[in-house]
Amino acid sequence: MTTRTLGTATAADITALVSGLYRDKQQPRGLLVIHARPEWDGPAEVVVEGLSVPVHCCRTVLELRDVVRRRHDAAVPWRVILTDLRDDEIPQGVREHFRPVGRSLELDPASTLLGLFSAKRTGGGIPRRIEDVRGMVDALAPHRDSLSPTSTPVLTAEHLYSALATHCLQLDDGTRLAGLLAWSASPRTAEAWEHVAETLTETVRSDLVAWIVRRHPLTGSALQSLWLTSGPGALFPAGFVAETLGASGDLAVPRALFRQHVGVTQNDAALREWGRAAAAAARRELDQGRSIAPAVVEGQRLLSGIESHGSVSLVGHSTVLPEGFRRRIDEFARALSACLSSGAEGPLLQSLSALEAHIDGAGSRSGDVETATALVRLARWNRSESERAVDRMRTTALPNAMNHYVGEVSWVDRAVNAAWRGFTTDPKPPSGQSEVDPDALSQQVLTRTLTARRDIDRAFAALAASQLSDSTRAGDALLVENVLSAVVKPLHQAGPIESDKAVKRPLLVLVIDGLSVPAAHSLADDLAERHSTVWQSVDLAAKGLHVAATALPSITAASRTSLLCGELTMGDQNTEKKGFADHVPGATLFHKGDLDAGISDLVRQTVYDTKGSPVVGAILNTIDDALDRSETIATTWTTQRITHMDKLLDYARAVGRDVVLLSDHGHVVERSQTSKTSVEGAVSSRWRPAGYTPETDGERTVAGDRVLTETHTAILAVDADIRYTSKKAGYHGGLSPAEICAPVAVLVQNFDGLGEGSPFPAAPPLQASWPGWWDIHLDAPAVAQSLATTPAKPSRPSASPKMPPATALQDSLFDTTPPPEPAPRADDRYSSLASMPFFKEQVATHRVGLKPRALADTLRAIDHNNRRMPITGLAARLELDAIRIRGTLARMQKVVNIDGMPVLEQEGSDVVLAPEVLFEQFGVTQ
């Protein structure tokens, strides 16, 4: 054997041989001679099992003798010699020191490979060429200590390639397609593959990639082809393109161009699988805070090239690429324009769903989706409800007018606030310029809405001016000065029975200064989303206690003081503290300064002391303060945004206090439509003394004992665009329902003591708090039909339908009962789903607690309920409480959300199903 035909030793060879003798055969010292090329480009010493092993290259016997003389060096127990001399060319006197082996060893990478796994022989499917084996040894040797030995003497291809993927590429065996694509986009993956590509031969690389993609029969050949030609980093961007090519239509040309890029032909199913997995991977990466920008840029570049040659617009089908969202905004604008002209709402709902489906719809462009959703709602209200709402406000009594504002008109205000922000996305795509401007359409919708809202405000103000200005004319309306006696004190007395005696309920009374009814809706959503495992809402609306009318004018000094003192009065914080304690014996009241200074000590101790301080009040000024300085129109109020609220709720929870949420007044927001109205004598933003300039069409004069001015008269602003002072974010003091209506809510940890003998129901609300037009997930054809004609004459509202009793803990301030059970059909796709082996396997794996048939029936029920169901309704259906339903829902999602696809998702307090994706995931066709 000549030097040219000898192998070149590597660190892996030396490590394997020395480790086998030192560790496995317990040889403490040795001189290991390897018959190989006397060439070494590695480190002078190789570290093996913590030992530094010098490597010597010897071409002559003289060089061999020189190394042999140093064999007794105590500091160097092991040495390695690389020589091209055969044993018969080495004198016996030198060979006898080649211990512990007694001879030179031939370099055999196959033996080294087997040694790495403690195997005796290789199985089929493993390349056997020397260069193939040596490459695998070099790749795996650095991971020797973490390699798993084979369970049998045979090293199988499965075991070998699993080790290469796991240790060299950090890719776990069994990774699903979405996980594979996410892995492929990592910078660490690019570095790992570059090293593997330099180490492994082309044959082994191809076999390794084929082994990795073997679990994806639809896309495997395309993944392998693209990977081997362009690297793993090309897989993720190509998936974004594949998603657009899975759409229907004449896509022969763009698919042919994509085939040239990938290298193989793909059918519809393969394109859809690749595209869905890429979208799921993108969502997963973003959820975990990792950037996908490089893959997105490359995907957009690739798709733009295909579009430029194929003369077909594809990017609108992408749920990931930013340009896809812009195209969807354009489609939404076209559908909105058509809806405003014809009333056909189906295409509009579809275009809104397309915006929600895009990854930016829940991320960087979520505000645009909120704006679009609000516009759909407002367009619907304008067409079907606005005239009826105005007439109802003109012809009803004051309590009904307040209820009408809370139950319907306040939701209009909430939608207006969301729509007013407009779109941040450029409405004009660079190609295919649209003649439809979504911002102009937004203003068209909003102008019509605000015109109706002005009429509603004026009708309400006329009613309020005559009935709220004097307490003798207020009728059955709950007034702010009566809230303590009508809500707080009776609730305090309505404790559970212990030892034949009613125990008083300890209370925490939170007065959220400036909380309007629309803001209260947002707060209710947050409480339902994040606090429903603790708090349940009492159905105050059933007793007419859910909204109170402010004092006049609706300013803090009048209305908050009257609220806390239980009588009509003006005053300051000292007045409020004394009045609260006098009206509710044993009560303690904390203002903003008290909370800021003592939230963690004095306030906490007081809330915890349920005996010494049975009723504790706290004034939360975050919203009222924000009106002076921040852009409240864009604020979604949550317990986290309101300073101290989360902490106070937690204190109350810890000691079993129930919570009363109150507001002293609402507010109107600044929309920058008009400038300041200059009038004589005005000192406040929304009211002015009477006796100066006469009232205008947008104002009302009030007079009576509930008007807390020196003369008991005042002129109050009604139209939302009137202000008498400098510009701020919002205002109060006027006579619009947004300012006059102060929301009231009660949160309890249990209903013990309520019900019979109590003015409060022992159950949460049975009906949804939002009006019917708010729900945009109704059946599109039915909606389009119902909106085709505007009612010629408003009809008297029908009574609320009877609802079945709730059987489970409700998880929002205002909630729905479980929907009626749909009659199951014996032969439908859900029956097929229940019998699918993979579906049964998923149900068993994730331990849902339901049989496959029961889970399929539950999914059918969600589908038949317009593809969504309140979580409380789902809990009632499954007979679970609010805590257990969360875990069950999470396991249900694991069953059906294959590769992270959004099949079963939670949206606020609802669970939403995408049935077509569900059936496609499990291959259900009938």
Side-chain angles (χ1 to χ4, degrees), residues 81-157:
I81 296 175
L82 304 179
T83 182
D84 56 353
L85 296 173
R86 301 187 307 274
D87 278 0
D88 59 5
E89 296 175 317
I90 303 172
Q92 176 60 29
V94 176
R95 287 204 315 273
E96 66 183 10
H97 300 295
F98 294 176
R99 296 181 179 176
V101 179
R103 58 181 175 81
S104 62
L105 297 177
E106 294 295 333
L107 198 60
D108 182 7
S111 297
T112 302
L113 181 63
L114 291 172
L116 292 174
F117 297 97
S118 301
K120 301 299 183 183
R121 62 183 183 276
T122 58
I126 297 178
R128 300 182 184 277
R129 293 188 307 167
I130 296 252
E131 56 269 31
D132 294 334
V133 177
R134 183 168 296 282
M136 291 187 285
V137 169
D138 290 346
L140 290 168
H143 309 284
R144 174 185 177 88
D145 292 338
S146 56
L147 295 176
S148 300
T150 58
S151 57
T152 69
V154 180
L155 174 61
T156 63

Side-chain angles (χ1 to χ4, degrees), residues 46-388:
V46 177
V47 178
V48 182
E49 303 290 340
L51 301 176
S52 294
V53 180
V55 180
H56 306 275
C57 297
C58 299
R59 292 175 174 78
T60 65
V61 173
L62 185 61
E63 291 174 332
L64 286 171
R65 291 182 185 276
D66 182 61
V67 177
V68 168
R69 291 191 188 99
R70 289 180 273 174
R71 68 186 183 279
H72 296 302
D73 187 346
V76 185
W78 278 91
R79 294 178 184 273
V80 170
I81 296 175
L82 304 179
T83 182
D84 56 353
L85 296 173
R86 301 187 307 274
D87 278 0
D88 59 5
E89 296 175 317
I90 303 172
Q92 176 60 29
V94 176
R95 287 204 315 273
E96 66 183 10
H97 300 295
F98 294 176
R99 296 181 179 176
V101 179
R103 58 181 175 81
S104 62
L105 297 177
E106 294 295 333
L107 198 60
D108 182 7
S111 297
T112 302
L113 181 63
L114 291 172
L116 292 174
F117 297 97
S118 301
K120 301 299 183 183
R121 62 183 183 276
T122 58
I126 297 178
R128 300 182 184 277
R129 293 188 307 167
I130 296 252
E131 56 269 31
D132 294 334
V133 177
R134 183 168 296 282
M136 291 187 285
V137 169
D138 290 346
L140 290 168
H143 309 284
R144 174 185 177 88
D145 292 338
S146 56
L147 295 176
S148 300
T150 58
S151 57
T152 69
V154 180
L155 174 61
T156 63
E158 182 79 10
H159 195 98
L160 175 61
Y161 290 128
S162 176
L164 285 168
T166 301
H167 296 283
C168 300
L169 296 177
Q170 293 82 52
L171 180 62
D172 294 333
D173 184 22
T175 300
R176 293 188 177 275
L177 182 53
L180 176 64
L181 297 179
W183 165 87
S184 72
S186 168
R188 292 178 56 190
T189 297
E191 295 176 5
W193 178 252
E194 183 178 358
H195 174 71
V196 165
E198 293 175 351
T199 306
L200 300 180
T201 63
E202 181 179 353
T203 298
V204 177
R205 290 199 304 271
S206 179
D207 289 350
L208 173 61
V209 172
W211 181 86
I212 290 173
V213 302
R214 75 197 187 287
R215 294 182 179 274
H216 314 294
L218 285 176
T219 56
S221 60
L223 294 172
Q224 182 180 4
S225 173
L226 185 58
W227 185 337
L228 292 174
T229 56
S230 304
L235 304 182
F236 202 13
F240 300 151
V241 178
E243 182 186 32
T244 69
L245 296 174
S248 59
D250 184 9
L251 301 178
V253 173
R255 286 186 179 185
L257 294 170
F258 187 62
R259 181 177 66 246
Q260 292 178 2
H261 174 72
V262 172
V264 296
T265 301
Q266 291 184 279
N267 58 25
D268 292 352
L271 289 168
R272 286 195 297 269
E273 180 182 270
W274 196 349
R276 288 200 310 267
R283 295 178 189 276
R284 182 183 306 172
E285 291 298 283
L286 291 177
D287 287 345
Q288 296 177 359
R290 291 192 285 263
S291 173
I292 60 170
V296 167
V297 170
E298 176 59 21
Q300 184 65 65
R301 185 199 64 79
L302 178 60
L303 184 58
S304 296
I306 292 176
E307 285 184 326
S308 64
H309 289 87
S311 300
V312 176
S313 178
L314 299 169
V315 72
H317 298 297
S318 172
T319 62
V320 177
L321 300 179
E323 182 63 24
F325 190 82
R326 289 209 295 175
R327 298 286 176 89
R328 291 174 186 227
I329 285 285
D330 183 57
E331 288 302 316
F332 173 82
R334 294 173 184 272
L336 178 58
S337 178
C339 179
L340 295 179
S341 300
S342 66
E345 197 182 52
L348 181 61
L349 293 178
Q350 293 174 1
S351 65
L352 178 60
S353 295
L355 286 176
E356 293 173 335
H358 196 280
I359 199 168
D360 285 346
S364 61
R365 303 295 183 180
S366 60
D368 284 353
V369 174
E370 291 178 8
T371 296
T373 303
L375 289 171
V376 172
R377 287 169 171 151
L378 293 176
R380 176 183 291 178
W381 183 80
N382 287 342
R383 191 171 190 87
S384 64
E385 300 291 337
S386 60
E387 292 183 10
R388 188 183 317 177

